[in-house]
């Protein structure tokens, strides 16, 4: 099944920000484009707004004047649904209410031809439920664009329970012909991106709620150590706290209040107070012109250790041994079967975050996971109140000698980056096991949809089979609510190559 022919008219119903963006994408691709909105005059206003954006593309040399003029000639506001009768594809981008969308598609079904593709841009509702109002839901599909649609490449092509494979394939190929990067997924709450992105916000909020670190510090660690484009607090301020919380709540409810998707009480209070982020002038951060900028906690200068003893090789953090030597600090390596750690001259231990807490052991400082320890500009450390001050000082001095800023946070298991990445990996494996999407499409979706530095399976391969499982298993022992219980899919992945003796 191939993409729609460029001579085939496409319609967009709903002329808000998303509707206009989708219309611009289809229009610039070369289709005749019909715009319809239930409010009189809105379609004509939207057509003028799209025309103005085409003018700006010409000014930026991203579109020729001739192509702009041709696109404008193909753009027609519609006064009624009847004017969409000859369209080969109708994309809906109206209010996120099930009854409103169902009513629209019932009306469209009476207007368009039997082979017209019908698509919803919903981000939070069930594609199956919307399509359930149709007499023939086999031609109904989700086309979830990301805002702003003309700029962001990802499109989630969502197959509802009744969607025919030929309809999904045609929608997929059409999105690709429009210059987008489509990924195919089943109709599941949150689809791919909004399902798998929940831990990025949830774990940051959980660390904050445990009073282990402030928003500016958590955001800095996610950016400067984890390699994420933005931290969770600044990103939700940009999205809008009400919008982000609404998506989280929708996914949680749709999964029958699965504890893995539980919304944050701290975010709920933020929304209740009207602090919605940038759009209200205040969210996690204050955006007033005279507001003092929130800075991350950064430790004072400390003396680096005279040497370190490496026991076991450090696993995913093995690159640190090279960096320590390059900084002129001697490394003595010893083979150990019981784990991987650095022993400091004070006798204390420095270990990669593993889901345990410092208070459980004598004199242990944990350090967080980094995307790339050489390029990371900040490292988080955690210690308990019983950790020897000299051990913590040596740990701080060690990372400072490597050119890193150091943030010391509270004694939380899994710290910040490590627990976040482990949970994203777990949800990704669970999604593949349940037929939501392929590994490749999930990695593509998370890199393009939310700008993650790596897809979950890319992270998983880099960290090793058992890293995420072992960390979450340790976290689950310390928080048996079920939030951190690793999925069966992750368990199977972690131990797939292990040989067991005996039989059940």
């Amino acid at each position: 099944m191939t993409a729609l022919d460029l001579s085939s008219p496409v319609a967009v119903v709903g002329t808000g920000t998303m509707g206009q963006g989708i219309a611009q994408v289809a229009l610039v691709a070369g289709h005749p484009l019909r715009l319809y909105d239930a409010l009189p005059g809105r379609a004509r206003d939207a057509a003028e707004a799209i025309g103005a954006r085409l003018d700006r593309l010409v000014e930026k040399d991203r579109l020729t004047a001739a192509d702009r003029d041709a696109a404008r000639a193909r753009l027609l506001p519609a006064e009624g649904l009847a004017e969409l009768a000859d369209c080969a594809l109708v994309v809906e981008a109206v209010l996120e209410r099930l009854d409103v969308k169902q009513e629209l598609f019932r009306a469209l079904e009476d207007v368009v031809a039997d082979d017209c593709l019908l698509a919803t841009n919903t981000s939070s509702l069930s594609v199956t439920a919307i399509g359930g109002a149709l007499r023939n839901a086999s031609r109904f599909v989700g086309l979830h664009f990301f805002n702003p649609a003309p700029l962001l490449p990802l499109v989630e092509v969502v197959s509802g329970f009744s969607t025919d494979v030929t309809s999904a394939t045609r929608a997929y190929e059409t999105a690709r012909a429009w210059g987008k990067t489509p990924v195919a997924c089943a109709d599941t709450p949150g689809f791919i991106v909004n399902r798998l992105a929940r831990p990025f916000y949830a774990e940051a909020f959980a660390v904050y709620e445990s009073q282990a670190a402030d928003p500016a510090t958590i955001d800095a660690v996610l950016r400067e150590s984890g390699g994420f484009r933005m931290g969770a607090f600044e990103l939700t301020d940009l999205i809008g706290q009400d919008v982000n919380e609404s998506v989280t709540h929708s996914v949680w409810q749709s999964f029958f209040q699965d504890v893995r998707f539980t919304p944050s009480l701290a975010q709920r209070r933020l929304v209740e107070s009207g602090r919605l982020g940038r759009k209200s002038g205040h969210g996690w951060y204050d955006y007033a012109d005279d507001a003092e900028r929130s800075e991350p906690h950064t430790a004072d200068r400390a003396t680096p250790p005279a040497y370190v003893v490496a026991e076991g090789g450090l696993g995913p953090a093995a690159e640190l041994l090279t960096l320590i030597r390059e900084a002129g600090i001697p490394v003595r390596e010893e083979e150990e079967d019981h784990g991987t750690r650095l022993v400091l001259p004070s006798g204390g231990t420095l270990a990669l975050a593993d889901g345990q807490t410092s208070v459980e052991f004598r004199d242990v400082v944990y350090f967080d996971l980094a995307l790339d320890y050489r390029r990371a500009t900040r490292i988080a450390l955690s210690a308990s109140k019983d950790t020897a001050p000299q051990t913590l000082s040596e740990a701080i001095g060690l990372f400072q000698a490597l050119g890193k800023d150091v943030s010391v946070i509270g004694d939380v298991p899994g710290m910040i980056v490590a627990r976040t990445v482990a949970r994203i990996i777990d949800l990704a494996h669970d999604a593949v096991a349940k037929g939501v999407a392929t590994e490749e499409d999930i990695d593509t979706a998370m890199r393009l949809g939310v700008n993650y530095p790596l897809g979950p399976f890319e992270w998983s391969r880099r960290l090793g089979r058992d890293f995420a499982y072992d960390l979450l298993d340790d976290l689950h022992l310390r928080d048996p609510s079920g939030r951190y219980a690793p999925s069966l899919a992750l368990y199977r992945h972690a131990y797939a190559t292990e040989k067991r003796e005996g039989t059940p």
Side-chain angles (χ1 to χ4, degrees):
M1 183 63 65
T2 58
L4 293 177
D5 189 271
L6 289 181
S7 64
S8 301
V10 171
V12 175
V13 179
T15 59
T17 301
M18 281 304 302
Q20 289 184 33
I22 296 168
Q24 181 179 327
V25 170
L27 184 66
V28 171
H31 289 274
L33 198 288
R34 312 282 168 74
L35 275 176
Y36 174 75
D37 197 290
L39 292 177
R42 285 285 297 272
R44 194 164 300 280
D45 291 343
E48 292 178 1
I50 293 171
R53 284 199 289 274
L54 297 179
D55 289 340
R56 289 195 290 274
L57 291 178
V58 172
E59 292 170 2
K60 296 177 181 179
D61 292 327
R62 293 167 58 187
L63 189 71
T64 67
D67 285 341
R68 174 201 57 198
D69 295 342
R72 280 185 162 176
R74 295 192 302 271
L75 178 58
L76 298 174
E79 298 296 328
L81 289 179
E83 296 177 46
L84 312 184
D86 63 339
C87 289
L89 167 64
V90 180
V91 183
E92 163 272 315
V94 301
L95 187 66
E96 282 287 275
R97 274 180 43 187
L98 180 61
D99 59 335
V100 172
K101 293 178 186 290
Q102 287 180 329
E103 181 180 356
L104 169 64
F105 282 109
R106 276 194 292 263
L108 282 168
E109 197 171 32
D110 292 334
V111 171
V112 298
D114 290 342
D115 61 350
C116 174
L117 272 177
L118 298 176
T120 174
N121 183 58
T122 185
S123 61
S124 60
L125 298 176
S126 164
V127 171
T128 300
I130 299 170
L134 297 173
R135 295 187 299 273
N136 175 19
S138 66
R139 57 166 165 175
F140 186 71
V141 66
L143 277 178
H144 181 216
F145 290 76
F146 288 74
N147 191 31
L151 297 180
L152 295 187
L154 185 68
V155 177
E156 292 177 317
V157 182
V158 186
S159 293
F161 186 79
S162 300
T163 304
D164 187 272
V165 65
T166 57
S167 299
T169 302
R170 171 153 283 185
Y172 183 99
E173 294 299 334
T174 298
R176 185 158 64 175
W178 291 355
K180 296 302 180 182
T181 303
V183 293
C185 66
D187 184 22
T188 183
F191 310 141
I192 298 174
V193 172
N194 280 330
R195 174 176 178 160
L196 301 190
R198 291 358 285 165
F200 179 74
Y201 312 111
E203 295 312 307
F205 298 161
V207 172
Y208 167 77
E209 289 173 337
S210 69
Q211 300 186 55
D214 60 277
T217 299
I218 296 169
D219 278 353
V221 172
L222 286 169
R223 288 193 314 270
E224 299 174 41
S225 183
F228 293 95
R229 185 75 58 86
M230 299 179 73
F233 297 90
E234 57 188 338
L235 180 55
T236 53
D237 267 359
L238 179 64
I239 294 169
Q241 297 302 330
D242 52 340
V243 174
N244 181 261
E245 194 215 22
S246 176
V247 173
T248 299
H249 195 271
S250 173
V251 172
W252 175 62
Q253 289 283 23
S254 297
F255 276 112
F256 307 105
Q257 299 185 358
D258 186 330
V259 69
R260 295 176 301 167
F261 301 101
T262 301
S264 162
L265 182 59
Q267 189 180 36
R268 174 91 290 263
R269 293 292 178 258
L270 207 65
V271 173
E272 289 174 340
S273 70
R275 289 170 52 173
L276 306 181
R278 289 183 177 272
K279 64 185 177 183
S280 70
H282 204 305
W284 295 109
Y285 300 106
D286 187 347
Y287 296 95
D289 292 339
D290 59 350
E292 185 176 346
R293 178 182 172 85
S294 298
E295 297 292 343
H297 167 75
T298 302
D300 293 335
R301 298 299 302 178
T303 303
Y307 65 89
V308 296
V309 178
E311 296 183 347
L314 295 188
E319 187 180 22
L320 282 175
L321 299 180
T322 301
L323 299 181
I324 292 169
R325 290 189 177 97
E326 289 175 357
I329 299 173
V331 178
R332 306 172 189 171
E333 294 194 55
E334 296 182 2
E335 291 295 329
E336 290 289 339
D337 294 331
H338 61 269
T340 60
R341 61 183 186 174
L342 293 175
V343 180
L344 301 168
S346 63
T349 300
L350 187 59
L352 175 62
D354 59 6
Q356 302 181 93
T357 56
S358 181
V359 74
E360 301 170 50
F361 305 99
R362 187 190 68 81
D363 215 13
V364 171
V365 174
Y366 280 104
F367 64 92
D368 208 351
L369 181 67
L371 172 68
D372 182 333
Y373 283 99
R374 181 175 294 277
R375 298 177 63 183
T377 57
R378 182 177 300 271
I379 295 293
L381 303 179
S382 70
S384 74
K385 294 180 180 178
D386 297 329
T387 302
Q390 181 62 23
T391 298
L392 181 57
S393 178
E394 287 178 346
I396 293 171
L398 175 64
F399 281 102
Q400 289 174 338
L402 306 186
K404 319 298 183 187
D405 288 328
V406 175
S407 292
V408 179
I409 69 171
D411 188 19
V412 288
M415 301 191 66
I416 298 170
V417 178
R419 69 196 287 178
T420 299
V421 169
R423 287 208 58 215
I424 292 171
I425 289 172
D426 181 50
L427 290 184
H429 278 279
D430 186 52
V432 169
K434 292 177 177 173
V436 174
T438 65
E439 292 186 8
E440 181 181 3
D441 275 357
I442 285 175
D443 276 352
T444 298
M446 300 313 288
R447 281 189 281 100
L448 298 184
V450 277
N451 285 314
Y452 283 4
L454 294 174
F457 294 97
E458 292 171 319
W459 265 114
S460 185
R461 288 188 289 272
R462 176 178 290 200
L463 297 175
R465 280 186 172 271
D466 55 357
F467 179 84
Y469 177 84
D470 288 346
L471 187 145
L472 291 176
D473 195 40
D474 280 336
L475 265 168
H476 179 54
L477 290 174
R478 287 151 185 82
D479 179 1
S481 65
R483 177 188 180 106
Y484 300 104
S487 66
L488 179 59
L490 186 63
Y491 175 82
R492 286 172 171 159
H493 171 76
Y495 293 99
T497 59
E498 297 220 356
K499 295 181 180 179
R500 305 294 181 182
E501 295 183 0
T503 57

